[in-house]
Amino acid sequence: MTMTDVNVDELLAPMPDKVKKNRRKHIVKKDLSAGSCQQIEANTRTVPGIITQRGCCYAGCKGVVVGPIKDMLTITHGPIGCAYYSWGTRRNKARVDDRTPPEEIYTTMCFSTDMQESDIVFGGEKKLAKMIDEVVEIFHPRAINLCATCPIGLIGDDLGAVAKAAEKRHGIPVIHYNCEGYKGVSQSAGHHIANNQIMERIIGTGTEKVDGKYVLNILGEYNIGGDAWENERLLEEIGYTIGSTLTGDSAYVNIRNMHKAHLNLVQCHRSINYIAEMMETKYGTPWLKVNFIGIDATIDTLREIARCFGDEELIARTELVIERELAAVTPEIERYQKILKGRTAFVFVGGSRSHHYQFLLRNLGMEVMVAGYEFAHRDDYEGREVIPTIKSDADSKNIPELHLEPEPGIYRPPHLHLKMSKEKYDELVASGVLNDYKGMYPDMVNGGIMIDDANHFETEELVEIFKPDLIFTGIKDKYVTHKMGLPSKQMHSYDYSGPYTCFKGAVTFAKDVAHSLSTPAWKMITAPWEQSKTEQR
Ligand code: CFM
């Protein structure tokens, strides 16, 4: 059977009719002959009882966006488990925060109010206020995040009031996030809530001067396994200054001054597109969708950034760095290509990697047959042009939208940020370079499947049909995959490896994948369906 023969309806056949009808809308097969992408259903509720890969709203807010900020102290207001599972498990690395000794910070700080039964009955506001007093006295944080969990929303503790009173008592920002786990349909809602507060409370409050001829922010880069450091190394060699990443290895003190950058780079569109758009409105900062995953993708990204500024010297330095990096990694990549060429994979990750890693895998001679997102929205699959047609439902209406205006005295038109004429800027926008994202569909292989919020049943069916050599996924699917006799790499945390970005990162990734595929262990396992066939015989 060729890839284009795969019948999605057959795949769902064993499901009850209602579920089948629901799930069918979340699966799209790439069909080159059809031209544009068929509409996919995304960012809607998971079928109750189905084993989803998704996380909660609190995970998206605390675990993903605000948790990694290294000089803010985060308090999880809720039972201890929520803090336990959202701290230290995501490999968002950070260097020591360079405060005056003895107050250096060696790790991101997370505390929990450890809500008990009596707190749930009588309310937890006093406990939270007391905890803020204690952490201020002991740790002297620059600013505090307060994150709500499910029970807090249910009992109605007023986080905003506690935060406001604490700000008065201590004279530092105390920022609250109503990111109860049940808000929205996945962690995506938490990204939005975090974006809103970072925009309202942090960005734009700094008054320090940011030096540099070309200052870039890297939005949606969380420095998993050190990814951001590799990006920064290259960009700084070319001649850029990094204002701040958001939020990998980031600091409150730098985020405050992000409005002073000339250009925002957007790596993960899903988790941070709100800030990119809001900064464009409020400060006039243009944004460029980038991808540092994959050698060709990195080269294209570096050239596009240089093109945005149009400085000949910058363009020449970009080419020089590309040439040098390529020369250094090509022999090694070619070595791994011998093992990897012709192999196939599935990629199931949150809301951006399933697209980005297709570029890197292609560089290694591999093809992605099925790509799934846990919680992406239609624009991450189909491109931003569909945004005006996305219908909002009760769940999305639950998340506040900020309506911003240009900030008087600070706003500068975007072309002035890039030091170019308005005409030239308009041209870059019209050609889809700036302020745009085309989604995953254009980069899928013909006959390949895009699947939203995939579940275990579908994963197993797809494996049986496509028989991939490897699955890139998360911890919930990793061991299920192993039991099917397939190697699986953890694509959220990179297991214990990384960085995977840019040129050197591509070699590390190639090495890890080659190791996974070369281990003889997989030959010793019989997939469940193979087993039943043997028994039938
Ligand atoms: Fe963005 Fe991420 Fe992702 Fe994401 Fe995540 Fe992550 Fe992810 Mo795990 S911010 S959407 S909520 S790239 S934690 S660093 S790997 S699911 S694909």
Side-chain angles (χ1 to χ4, degrees):
M1 184 165 48
T2 66
M3 276 177 79
T4 39
D5 293 335
V6 171
N7 184 331
V8 177
D9 296 314
E10 272 173 33
L11 165 87
L12 301 175
M15 289 179 163
D17 284 348
K18 211 173 148 196
V19 180
K20 207 187 304 176
K21 203 173 149 215
N22 174 317
R23 289 299 306 156
R24 184 64 190 86
K25 296 183 220 152
H26 293 262
I27 305 175
V28 164
K29 190 161 93 170
K30 169 88 174 235
D31 182 359
L32 270 181
S33 61
S36 62
C37 178
Q38 177 198 323
Q39 183 174 321
I40 191 165
E41 185 148 310
N43 192 33
T44 52
R45 290 184 187 188
T46 299
V47 177
I50 235 165
I51 306 177
T52 171
Q53 303 161 332
R54 281 175 165 176
C56 69
C57 174
Y58 161 82
C61 179
K62 194 274 162 189
V64 174
V65 183
V66 304
I69 306 173
K70 62 187 177 184
D71 59 350
M72 288 184 88
L73 190 148
T74 300
I75 298 176
T76 292
H77 189 32
I80 190 65
C82 301
Y84 180 83
Y85 288 109
S86 65
W87 180 77
T89 50
R90 184 165 173 261
R91 295 180 64 237
N92 39 249
K93 295 185 164 196
R95 294 189 182 97
V96 176
D97 181 38
D98 51 359
R99 295 212 270 174
T100 330
E103 287 183 356
E104 298 113 320
I105 299 171
Y106 294 95
T107 181
T108 47
M109 290 198 287
C110 174
F111 294 84
S112 166
T113 45
D114 184 21
M115 293 284 280
Q116 300 293 321
E117 264 174 40
S118 60
D119 303 319
I120 298 292
V121 174
F122 299 107
E125 288 178 12
K126 281 189 191 137
K127 196 173 188 185
L128 177 62
K130 190 162 169 261
M131 163 154 273
I132 298 172
D133 295 347
E134 275 179 28
V135 296
V136 169
E137 193 188 324
I138 301 169
F139 298 101
H140 318 291
R142 287 186 179 127
I144 293 177
N145 294 315
L146 302 183
C147 294
T149 56
C150 295
I152 299 313
L154 296 174
I155 64 172
D157 273 3
D158 187 344
L159 249 63
V162 176
K164 210 168 164 192
E167 282 190 347
K168 259 199 195 140
R169 283 200 305 283
H170 301 293
I172 58 166
V174 181
I175 303 171
H176 75 286
Y177 305 84
N178 290 116
C179 57
E180 293 84 356
Y182 56 75
K183 273 225 178 125
V185 298
S186 69
Q187 51 268 63
S188 170
H191 300 151
H192 197 165
I193 290 166
N195 274 230
N196 285 351
Q197 286 293 67
I198 290 176
M199 191 65 202
E200 284 232 289
R201 297 292 316 274
I202 311 180
I203 297 172
T205 59
T207 50
E208 294 84 358
K209 199 166 173 286
V210 178
D211 291 324
K213 193 170 174 194
Y214 302 110
V215 182
L216 308 171
N217 295 320
I218 313 181
L219 274 55
E221 171 50 71
Y222 300 91
N223 201 28
I224 307 297
D227 276 354
W229 293 334
E230 193 53 18
N231 303 347
E232 281 172 22
R233 180 182 71 80
L234 275 193
L235 292 168
E236 283 172 359
E237 275 184 36
I238 292 171
Y240 301 104
T241 305
I242 308 301
S244 177
T245 43
L246 212 59
T247 52
D249 196 11
S250 65
Y252 171 80
V253 281
N254 297 331
I255 299 175
R256 286 189 314 187
N257 291 307
M258 278 179 63
H259 59 299
K260 297 186 179 151
H262 300 110
L263 177 66
N264 279 333
L265 308 182
V266 174
Q267 172 71 26
C268 167
H269 175 265
R270 179 67 270 133
S271 64
I272 217 88
N273 74 89
Y274 317 94
I275 285 180
E277 230 180 300
M278 288 189 280
M279 284 186 70
E280 191 195 338
T281 308
K282 192 169 176 185
Y283 305 114
T285 323
W287 62 271
L288 175 72
K289 175 70 187 75
V290 295
N291 181 18
F292 290 103
I293 306 284
I295 293 175
D296 294 332
T298 302
I299 293 174
D300 288 349
T301 285
L302 293 176
R303 287 188 176 145
E304 282 200 339
I305 303 169
R307 186 176 158 205
C308 285
F309 292 107
D311 175 336
E312 290 304 324
E313 212 179 300
L314 204 59
I315 293 171
R317 271 206 307 273
T318 301
E319 292 305 323
L320 214 74
V321 169
I322 290 174
E323 199 182 318
R324 196 202 54 208
E325 294 282 325
L326 251 186
V329 301
T330 303
E332 287 209 68
I333 291 288
E334 284 172 353
R335 198 153 64 90
Y336 291 120
Q337 275 170 343
K338 286 186 193 133
I339 301 170
L340 303 174
K341 204 163 189 290
R343 303 294 193 111
T344 58
F346 289 2
V347 191
F348 294 135
V349 211
S352 86
R353 295 187 170 190
S354 309
H355 182 194
H356 294 149
Y357 274 86
Q358 297 198 28
F359 295 88
L360 178 47
L361 288 163
R362 246 168 235 156
N363 285 157
L364 305 177
M366 294 178 70
E367 196 51 83
V368 173
M369 299 163 119
V370 181
Y373 281 142
E374 292 171 27
F375 50 74
H377 297 200
R378 275 185 60 204
D379 38 317
D380 303 296
Y381 296 101
E382 301 174 57
R384 282 182 70 89
E385 62 184 32
V386 304
I387 291 178
T389 68
I390 298 177
K391 284 190 226 105
S392 56
D393 55 16
D395 293 304
S396 42
K397 279 184 192 141
N398 215 359
I399 317 299
E401 286 277 348
L402 299 185
H403 296 286
L404 304 176
E405 298 289 332
E407 180 88 347
I410 302 182
Y411 176 90
R412 279 183 308 142
H415 67 278
L416 295 185
H417 280 79
L418 300 173
K419 309 175 184 43
M420 65 170 60
S421 68
K422 171 113 180 28
E423 293 69 39
K424 182 96 193 298
Y425 173 78
D426 290 342
E427 227 176 86
L428 281 177
V429 175
S431 59
V433 173
L434 281 169
N435 314 335
D436 197 15
Y437 176 46
K438 304 253 180 298
M440 175 158 77
Y441 187 78
D443 294 309
M444 290 293 300
V445 66
N446 194 32
I449 302 269
M450 277 192 330
I451 183 164
D452 177 69
D453 189 18
N455 53 63
H456 277 183
F457 172 77
E458 291 159 352
T459 305
E460 287 189 31
E461 293 285 296
L462 287 162
V463 167
E464 200 176 341
I465 296 170
F466 285 104
K467 305 205 169 33
D469 293 299
L470 188 133
I471 301 189
F472 296 95
T473 185
I475 201 71
K476 288 180 194 159
D477 287 2
K478 185 180 167 93
Y479 299 105
V480 178
T481 309
H482 284 182
K483 285 174 193 164
M484 291 189 253
L486 277 177
S488 164
K489 270 206 68 64
Q490 232 277 38
M491 225 3 30
H492 301 256
S493 68
Y494 304 161
D495 293 308
Y496 307 98
S497 190
Y500 285 161
T501 43
C502 306
F503 301 87
K504 284 189 183 166
V507 175
T508 309
F509 180 79
K511 186 174 84 186
D512 290 350
V513 178
H515 281 177
S516 292
L517 286 172
S518 311
T519 171
W522 310 116
K523 295 195 191 89
M524 297 172 189
I525 300 163
T526 314
W529 54 87
E530 291 294 338
Q531 230 161 34
S532 55
K533 268 185 218 154
T534 324
E535 279 158 20
Q536 279 162 21
R537 272 182 221 135

